[in-house]
């Protein structure tokens, strides 16, 4: 019979590493599955798809997102967390994990554990426009940092859909390579923070079209490369055509919780429901008292409001403390 772990942490963003550091220091010997292109993102989560992180306290001049995650990962290891670069395929939660442990499925192996911390980040949402699946590699992307530097986008006119922080960040990043970036914002105002939209409006390579939505994507005669878009002003219904050699979505993120296969309560956008003021995952949506006291979730998978790296790290700490309290006297 395989070892019974105290804590298994699923995936590895700031929340995962914060939980890893706290549970390791509590001598719980955590095991983390950091993921392998889990949810379409490299191990260590969404910060690896961003550029400079300027709002994480401690780094006065900002820090590259991947560099920040490397620091966190090393701190987890130094604290005593074991990390496996694998993706969890599924879980089977137990109602009484101190008697019958939870099971975590990874490739062909089954790991048993008394608590699970769910840190499966969110994945960028796509619009599934006509042609998107066919031309995904030839003009449509949901990650400027991953794809923006590709030759097909260099010195070309590109389009970003969205008006949040992600959209502003993507548009600004793309101006390093593009000749021009047009942002399609469906309202007359940005959702982004003031500092981000002011920076965006000050960038003379970025054109912002407000009250504007996509209508159709246009391709070259061979149907291999995107060349333009038909767009519409949603106030006047006037349609126009613009040149566009690339389209980047920055419209929202969907939490990666489907692999839990309905074993925990989620809202209609797949966010895990947790007991108020804690990270304790609810088993059903109706009962605020019936909880899985031994499964904990945070940030991108349970918080649809704040969704910042720093709140992620904070709730990772909360989940670790909740797990530690649950395990007190049982290790
Ligand atoms: P947001 O929800 O903040 O913004 C999404 C944007 O996409 C909105 O402008 C929204 O329009 C638009 N949108 C949504 N669906 C569609 C659609 N179907 N068609 C057209 N437009 C659409 O998401 P973000 O991913 O930008 O940000 C998520 C969180 O991450 C936020 O809390 C943000 O602060 C944070 N973040 C922080 C960063 C930083 O601080 N450096 C960087 C990136 C993200 P509408 O307003 O009309 O709904």
């Amino acid at each position: 019979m395989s070892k019974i772990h105290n804590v298994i942490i699923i995936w590895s963003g700031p929340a995962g590493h914060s939980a890893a550091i706290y549970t390791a220091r509590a001598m719980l010997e955590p095991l983390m599955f950091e993921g392998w292109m889990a949810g379409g993102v490299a191990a260590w989560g969404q910060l690896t798809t961003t550029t400079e992180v300027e709002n994480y306290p401690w780094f006065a001049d900002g820090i590259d997102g991947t560099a920040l995650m490397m620091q966190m990962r090393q701190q987890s290891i130094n604290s005593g967390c074991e990390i496996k670069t694998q993706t969890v395929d599924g879980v089977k939660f137990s109602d009484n994990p101190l008697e019958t442990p939870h099971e975590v499925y990874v490739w062909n192996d089954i790991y048993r554990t008394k608590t699970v911390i769910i840190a499966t980040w969110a994945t960028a949402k796509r619009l599934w426009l006509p042609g998107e699946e066919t031309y995904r590699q030839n003009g449509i992307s949901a990650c400027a940092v991953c794809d923006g530097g590709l030759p097909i986008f260099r010195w070309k006119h590109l389009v970003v859909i969205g008006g949040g922080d992600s959209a502003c960040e993507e548009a600004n990043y793309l101006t390093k390579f593009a000749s021009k970036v047009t942002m399609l914002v469906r309202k007359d105002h940005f959702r982004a923070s003031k500092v981000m939209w002011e920076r965006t409006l000050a960038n003379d390579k970025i054109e912002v079209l407000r009250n504007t939505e996509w209508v159709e994507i246009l391709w070259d005669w061979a149907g291999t490369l995107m060349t333009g878009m038909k767009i519409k002003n949603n106030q006047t219904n006037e349609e126009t055509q613009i040149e566009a050699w690339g389209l980047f979505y920055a419209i929202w993120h969907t939490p990666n919780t489907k692999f839990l296969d309905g074993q925990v309560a989620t809202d209609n956008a797949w966010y895990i429901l947790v007991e108020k003021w804690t990270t304790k995952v609810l088993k059903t949506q109706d009962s605020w008292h019936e909880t899985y006291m031994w499964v904990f979730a945070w940030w991108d998978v349970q918080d649809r409001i704040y969704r910042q790296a720093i709140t992620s790290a904070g709730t990772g700490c909360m989940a670790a403390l909740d797990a530690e309290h649950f395990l007190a006297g049982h290790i």
Side-chain angles (χ1 to χ4, degrees), residues 40-42 45-51 65-66 142-146 169-170 253:
V41 178
Q46 285 187 70
L47 283 188
T48 61
T49 67
T50 193
T51 48
T66 302
C143 178
V145 177
C146 318
E169 195 171 275
E170 301 236 325
H253 288 82

Side-chain angles (χ1 to χ4, degrees), residues 300-315:
D300 270 4
V301 289
Q302 57 101 336
D303 162 23
R304 56 187 298 165
I305 302 171
Y306 302 106
R307 292 173 297 158
Q308 304 297 306
I310 190 67
T311 53
S312 164
T315 48

